[in-house]
Amino acid sequence: MRTVYVNGEYLPEHEAKISIFDRGFLMSDGVYEVTTVLDGKLISFDGHAGRLLRSLRELDMSPPCDMDELLGIHRELVRLNEIENGLIYLQVTRGSDGDRDFVFPDPEATKPTLVMFTQSKPNLANNPAAGKGIKVISIDDIRWGRRDIKTVQLLYPSMGKMMAKAAGCDDAWLVEDGKVTEGTSNNAYIVKNGRIITRELSNDILHGITRAAVLRYAREAQMEVEERSFSIDEAKQADEAFVTSASTFVMPVVEIDGTPLGDGTPGPVAKRLREIYLEESLKTAI
Amino acid sequence: MRTVYVNGEYLPEHEAKISIFDRGFLMSDGVYEVTTVLDGKLISFDGHAGRLLRSLRELDMSPPCDMDELLGIHRELVRLNEIENGLIYLQVTRGSDGDRDFVFPDPEATKPTLVMFTQSKPNLANNPAAGKGIKVISIDDIRWGRRDIKTVQLLYPSMGKMMAKAAGCDDAWLVEDGKVTEGTSNNAYIVKNGRIITRELSNDILHGITRAAVLRYAREAQMEVEERSFSIDEAKQADEAFVTSASTFVMPVVEIDGTPLGDGTPGPVAKRLREIYLEESLKTAI
């Protein structure tokens, strides 16, 4: 049984509860981060902490604690749950003043809610899906316009995963104004003639911590990177494709809307980037 | 202290909690309704129950109970909390299978969560704001594309209320592709030469229960109704404007983006519709 964290307390997971008046529950007024644990250490903690602070700032929300304290809670959860490989989920909401209103409660009188829990994933780094690659479908991107803020408004991404599943695929790429924005819970890339192409940062996509690291490693390895949007048609004609996220690292995409990419197996760029990412991330894990 | 309802139990509000793994909290995977109580009776219960079932169906979610049972819980909460005038909030989420995943949990093994609570509003029908009218600003509508489903993804509407407040106004009208969709938590109307104009139903707006009733009463009173979208410019040149919702009924709008409408006081059509709505709603309250 897991031990989880709720507002200062470490609790058995079945006792971990929040008020029904919490704005995270009533108004989706919350943000989250997912940090990976490999060999018992945290990957890119500073990146996640920095993005969390940015999400909070964009929503005029206060941090629930300072980032050193947050690191301490991460480590305590890793220790208590004996996580060797897995994920740490954290969610901050605007809390509750005991009732429901669209107007934000007085920030002086209302503490943010902080909830954290672990997910043990022994095979995270050896995920067999990475060897086969995943299949994606394309669907309309009808999410709200501030995807750069990592809010808990995940209903449509969830629906997208279900649509992919119903189509016999693994995930969905979201398309807006004819261009791919990103995957349901990852950033999307294509590779053509050795060039890595991925959408530029804006309010339209999540500013992936893994994305930033992978692009940095790619450039350091002298790979060409082009940050611009692309269509599903262009993606179908690419040599290969992949997605990145904290929990899947670099995951090859081998089929888009039923069209196999290249020979239908993971491409060399994705495989190489996955290796580099895992190797480099472990070096700087804390 | 209120008595609230959580999954079959009537509890003191401070003990009303849900699991941190509830998908309503983690993924905004929930829908809601707000039903008005006047003189101790429920307004348009059948309309709210019908819309709830539609929201659930659109999201492949199961109803938490049958609608007679739901009516019984509404009435019990009115009785326990001695509500003469006020609101009953209900929220249904997809529940939880004890962990976090984008994929929906097995519906056979996972019960939806049902949370309900009351808000006493003694002056609901005599709201002084209705005598003065409200001021609105216009903001971009960046919400997700399925506003016909009454989900708890209310962060942007909340932000809109805060933007209105910061501008010294009461609410915001949302604008997409140059046309008003609706208010942050209400449907929007203008009146020109006696004609009532309001956006037609689609996935772009909430299918307001109050909207349906008000348009029916307007037509029965031989008023002309035109269901089409309108711009902020057209609204500024209207004779009057108003919004409708379960909790505000018919609320006059007297100013849009700093431009007073007509003489800057509530118009005769809005005032008349408010009277008719209150009178007729009470007749059919249960």
Side-chain angles (χ1 to χ4, degrees), chain A residues 2 4 6 13 16-29 32 34 58-59 89 91 93-94 98-104 113 115-117 119 142-146 151-159 161-162 165 184-185, chain B residues 2 4 6 13 16-29 32 34 58-59 89 91 93-94 98-104 113 115-117 119 142-146 151-159 161-162 165 184-185:
Chain A
R2 276 178 290 188
V4 306
V6 183
E13 58 185 318
K17 298 187 174 190
I18 49 129
S19 167
I20 62 165
F21 294 100
D22 192 280
R23 289 181 61 92
F25 183 67
L26 296 179
M27 321 292 281
S28 308
D29 192 0
Y32 74 105
V34 180
E58 291 293 315
L59 298 178
Y89 176 85
Q91 180 169 334
T93 80
R94 203 182 303 272
D99 210 341
R100 177 182 183 272
D101 195 342
F102 281 73
V103 172
F104 296 170
T113 293
V115 163
M116 288 177 59
F117 57 83
Q119 293 180 310
I142 62 163
R143 297 173 302 163
W144 84 319
R146 290 300 304 274
T151 76
V152 294
Q153 297 178 116
L154 297 174
L155 178 53
Y156 190 66
S158 276
M159 292 165 74
K161 289 262 192 209
M162 296 308 288
K165 233 182 128 173
T184 59
S185 55
Chain B
R2 276 178 291 187
V4 306
V6 183
E13 58 184 317
K17 297 187 174 190
I18 50 130
S19 167
I20 62 165
F21 294 101
D22 192 282
R23 289 181 61 92
F25 183 67
L26 295 179
M27 322 291 282
S28 309
D29 192 359
Y32 74 105
V34 179
E58 291 294 316
L59 298 177
Y89 175 86
Q91 180 170 334
T93 80
R94 205 181 303 273
D99 211 340
R100 178 181 183 272
D101 196 342
F102 281 74
V103 172
F104 297 169
T113 294
V115 163
M116 288 176 59
F117 57 82
Q119 292 180 309
I142 63 163
R143 297 172 302 164
W144 84 319
R146 291 298 305 274
T151 77
V152 294
Q153 296 177 116
L154 296 175
L155 178 54
Y156 190 66
S158 277
M159 293 165 73
K161 290 261 192 206
M162 296 307 287
K165 234 182 127 174
T184 59
S185 56

Side-chain angles (χ1 to χ4, degrees), chain A residues 5 8 12-13 15 20 50 58-60 65 78 96 127-129 144 146 172 193 202 211 216 252 258 263 281:
Chain A
Y5 176 94
E13 58 185 318
E15 293 173 23
I20 62 165
E58 291 293 315
L59 298 178
D60 289 320
C65 60
V78 167
S96 168
N127 187 345
W144 84 319
R146 290 300 304 274
N193 300 328
S202 71
R211 176 189 183 281
R216 189 169 66 245
D263 65 359
S281 296

Side-chain angles (χ1 to χ4, degrees), chain B residues 57-72:
Chain B
R57 207 163 47 232
E58 291 294 316
L59 298 177
D60 290 320
M61 229 186 267
S62 308
C65 61
D66 73 37
M67 293 302 106
D68 283 344
E69 217 175 319
L70 196 68
L71 175 58

Side-chain angles (χ1 to χ4, degrees), chain A residues 23-247:
Chain A
R23 289 181 61 92
F25 183 67
L26 296 179
M27 321 292 281
S28 308
D29 192 0
V31 299
Y32 74 105
E33 287 292 333
V34 180
T35 301
T36 297
V37 181
L38 288 179
D39 295 348
K41 288 181 180 171
L42 300 165
I43 306 295
S44 301
F45 176 80
D46 287 348
H48 290 287
R51 185 171 61 187
L52 172 64
L53 290 175
R54 179 182 182 279
S55 290
L56 294 171
R57 208 163 46 232
E58 291 293 315
L59 298 178
D60 289 320
M61 231 186 267
S62 309
C65 60
D66 72 37
M67 294 302 105
D68 283 344
E69 217 176 317
L70 196 68
L71 175 58
I73 305 169
H74 277 77
R75 285 179 163 156
E76 183 64 5
L77 285 174
V78 167
R79 191 186 69 79
L80 289 169
N81 295 287
E82 297 172 5
I83 302 295
E84 195 59 24
N85 296 296
L87 305 173
I88 304 188
Y89 176 85
L90 86 79
Q91 180 169 334
V92 181
T93 80
R94 203 182 303 272
S96 168
D97 62 357
D99 210 341
R100 177 182 183 272
D101 195 342
F102 281 73
V103 172
F104 296 170
D106 176 4
E108 301 299 316
T110 312
K111 273 199 223 161
T113 293
L114 173 60
V115 163
M116 288 177 59
F117 57 83
T118 55
Q119 293 180 310
S120 179
K121 309 258 180 193
N123 291 316
L124 195 59
N126 311 313
N127 187 345
K132 293 194 315 176
I134 62 167
K135 299 176 181 182
V136 303
I137 57 167
S138 66
I139 61 174
D140 279 347
D141 193 346
I142 62 163
R143 297 173 302 163
W144 84 319
R146 290 300 304 274
R147 299 138 196 174
D148 58 310
I149 309 174
K150 201 167 167 74
T151 76
V152 294
Q153 297 178 116
L154 297 174
L155 178 53
Y156 190 66
S158 276
M159 292 165 74
K161 289 262 192 209
M162 296 308 288
M163 289 183 238
K165 233 182 128 173
C169 292
D170 305 289
D171 203 0
W173 278 12
L174 306 170
V175 177
E176 186 172 55
D177 299 330
K179 305 285 183 176
V180 174
T181 50
E182 56 192 337
T184 59
S185 55
N186 44 59
N187 289 117
Y189 306 71
I190 56 175
V191 182
K192 185 72 178 181
N193 300 328
R195 259 179 120 70
I196 299 163
I197 299 158
T198 194
R199 191 171 177 119
E200 71 283 3
L201 294 182
S202 71
N203 291 353
D204 296 337
I205 65 168
L206 183 74
H207 299 194
I209 303 303
T210 309
R211 176 189 183 281
V214 164
L215 293 187
R216 189 169 66 245
Y217 300 144
R219 285 176 173 129
E220 284 170 7
Q222 313 299 327
M223 297 176 180
E224 278 186 287
V225 174
E226 197 176 344
E227 293 184 63
R228 64 161 174 85
S229 59
F230 55 85
S231 67
I232 287 292
D233 276 349
E234 185 178 0
K236 284 179 176 173
Q237 288 156 33
D239 301 324
E240 53 177 299
F242 60 91
V243 295
T244 63
S245 74
S247 58

